[in-house]
Amino acid sequence: MRIVFSAVLLATAAVAPALAQENAPFTGAHVEALAGYDAIGVGDADLDDSADGVLYGVNAGYDFQLGGVIAGIEGEVTDSTTKRRGNELIAVGDSARLDTDRDLYVGARLGFAAGPSTMIYAKGGYTNAKLKAEYNDGQGLLATEGVTLDGYRIGAGVEQKFNIFGPSGFVKAEYRYSNYKNLDFGAADIDTNLDRHQVLVGLGVRF
């Protein structure tokens, strides 16, 4: 009898995670690869060449599902090929360039299950972007500076279960907007804001 009881307990423990995923498919830890479109705008500074690029990185987080409502936390590390250039910003013959670097994000998201396999969500949080700013006054002065900016991010997306990695796989599409304050071009003495628009897809798995 004791052996039978132990076997039932072991079987229940093994089946419980599968049942939880079936009844609440958006619950648990997840990790995903990201890729998409990245574009930046620099306030009133006339940097208008090569304004967009490719975003790539990874995201990880944990979601809690209560009925049809899903709440979660997430963190992200991305990089981008986006670059911007401009000429004659404050003097004849000068030029400036801005190259994007790594971007860190941590935040939360809140969504609802539109079906047993589909989630629609909104998100928001803190983002920290690293950039390389360079200014050339055209008269021999060249200033290069690494810039780290703090900002906020908001966005929305849809996540769909996708069996490429088995029953726990998923694919998502997302748009998000980020804003960073006080972008300083150093020697150019240009203080402005940086806006960032991104559209991406993610391919991931839940555990």
Side-chain angles (χ1 to χ4, degrees), residues 74 109-112 114 118-124 154-160 171-176 198-202:
E74 59 181 350
R109 65 178 185 171
L110 183 66
F112 68 92
T118 306
M119 173 174 61
I120 298 174
Y121 63 89
K123 65 185 292 178
I154 56 175
V158 58
E159 180 179 312
Q160 178 70 38
V171 62
K172 78 175 186 182
E174 180 179 293
Y175 164 78
R176 66 264 196 101
Q198 298 171 325
V199 180
L200 58 85
V201 295

Side-chain angles (χ1 to χ4, degrees), residues 62-64 70-74 107-111:
Y62 195 96
D63 292 316
F64 308 85
I70 300 99
I73 56 175
E74 59 181 350
R109 65 178 185 171
L110 183 66

Side-chain angles (χ1 to χ4, degrees), residues 78-100:
T78 60
D79 206 335
S80 171
T81 64
T82 304
K83 306 178 191 304
R84 299 208 73 167
R85 304 288 186 270
N87 298 294
E88 299 187 352
L89 301 176
I90 60 175
V92 175
D94 74 355
S95 63
R97 58 181 286 172
L98 184 69
D99 296 345
T100 57

Side-chain angles (χ1 to χ4, degrees), residues 87-162:
N87 298 294
E88 299 187 352
L89 301 176
I90 60 175
V92 175
D94 74 355
S95 63
R97 58 181 286 172
L98 184 69
D99 296 345
T100 57
D101 203 328
R102 67 105 181 104
D103 185 5
L104 306 177
Y105 168 79
V106 61
R109 65 178 185 171
L110 183 66
F112 68 92
S117 301
T118 306
M119 173 174 61
I120 298 174
Y121 63 89
K123 65 185 292 178
Y126 164 79
T127 172
N128 177 278
K130 186 176 180 181
L131 311 170
K132 180 181 178 182
E134 180 181 285
Y135 176 73
N136 190 328
D137 70 351
Q139 306 297 321
L141 172 63
L142 176 64
T144 301
E145 182 178 0
V147 181
T148 301
L149 301 176
D150 299 313
Y152 68 86
R153 175 172 297 162
I154 56 175
V158 58
E159 180 179 312
Q160 178 70 38
K161 291 188 68 177
F162 188 53

Side-chain angles (χ1 to χ4, degrees), residues 156-194:
V158 58
E159 180 179 312
Q160 178 70 38
K161 291 188 68 177
F162 188 53
N163 291 342
I164 187 171
F165 298 126
S168 59
F170 66 88
V171 62
K172 78 175 186 182
E174 180 179 293
Y175 164 78
R176 66 264 196 101
Y177 166 79
S178 304
N179 181 271
Y180 306 90
K181 301 292 185 181
N182 301 324
L183 173 60
D184 185 359
F185 274 88
D189 196 24
I190 300 173
D191 291 312
T192 185
N193 297 334
L194 185 146

